[in-house]
Amino acid sequence: MQRVMIIGGPGSGKSTLARALGQRLDLPVHHIDQLFWQPGWQEPEKGAFNERLRKLYLEERWIVEGNYGRTWPERVARADSLVFLDLPTPLRMWRITKRVLGSYGKVRPDMAPGCPEKLDWVFFHYAATYAGHSRPDALQALTSLPQSIQHHHLCSRAQVRGFLRALGATS
């Protein structure tokens, strides 16, 4: 595992898993939200964002966590491993609620500077409906991966803990 792609629904634990894997595998961790968002929750110019990602993917070792489905083809082309965190919606929504309440007004370590945690109903709606609109894309991505990519479809907290234990990482 030298180039690891982590995807999953909002609140599934992508950032937490990325940090644990990065520590265990001694790989640099990159959060797509940090690369995408500009201060004040402003979206970047599309070309600049794509160029930042292209440069990152050319590196020999990385963990990149985040969805942004339009970035998957280039990421998959360079990844040697993919982890799909497919946790239940109620658990993910609970985690998001705890995150907002615990970090409100603060910039989380996995977020871009100048983008403090906020109550965002559009995001909550996206997270709540992820299973019906974005999850099918992730499942399709798993079925169409090149055979050279090791993939892990983790559907529970116990499976995530087992995955980390198998790698010798602590959760």
Side-chain angles (χ1 to χ4, degrees):
M1 295 180 94
Q2 296 295 306
R3 290 178 303 281
V4 183
M5 178 177 169
I6 301 174
I7 61 173
S12 62
K14 296 179 299 292
S15 297
T16 302
L17 178 62
R19 285 189 295 271
L21 283 178
Q23 186 174 51
R24 168 62 179 96
L25 301 173
D26 193 29
L27 293 173
V29 174
H30 304 277
H31 307 280
I32 288 190
D33 279 339
Q34 283 182 337
L35 299 168
F36 182 80
W37 292 108
Q38 304 298 302
W41 293 99
Q42 297 299 308
E43 292 190 19
E45 188 274 314
K46 188 176 178 180
F49 173 63
N50 291 343
E51 187 56 30
R52 282 194 296 275
L53 290 178
R54 276 188 202 99
K55 286 181 182 177
L56 171 59
Y57 300 153
L58 291 175
E59 294 177 13
E60 286 303 312
R61 306 174 72 242
W62 44 258
I63 295 173
V64 177
E65 70 84 7
N67 288 320
Y68 296 80
R70 68 182 171 87
T71 71
W72 290 0
E74 279 189 86
R75 229 182 315 168
V76 165
R78 285 285 294 151
D80 63 21
S81 306
L82 182 144
V83 179
F84 174 35
L85 295 176
D86 192 14
L87 278 70
T89 300
L91 173 61
R92 290 186 303 96
M93 296 307 293
W94 170 245
R95 287 177 170 180
I96 291 167
T97 301
K98 279 185 11 182
R99 181 172 75 196
V100 169
L101 292 174
S103 299
Y104 187 81
K106 302 173 193 161
V107 177
R108 299 188 329 258
D110 56 320
M111 190 49 69
C115 295
E117 188 68 53
K118 62 183 181 173
L119 184 59
D120 181 341
W121 292 111
V122 171
F123 175 74
F124 268 85
H125 180 264
Y126 167 75
T129 60
Y130 170 86
H133 62 74
S134 294
R135 181 177 179 268
D137 294 337
L139 291 171
Q140 178 59 40
L142 286 181
T143 64
S144 60
L145 289 174
Q147 288 186 356
S148 61
I149 295 182
Q150 182 182 125
H151 66 278
H152 308 273
H153 184 179
L154 308 176
C155 300
S156 69
R157 290 182 288 188
Q159 287 182 348
V160 173
R161 286 190 300 269
F163 173 70
L164 289 170
R165 266 195 309 276
L167 294 172
T170 57
S171 59

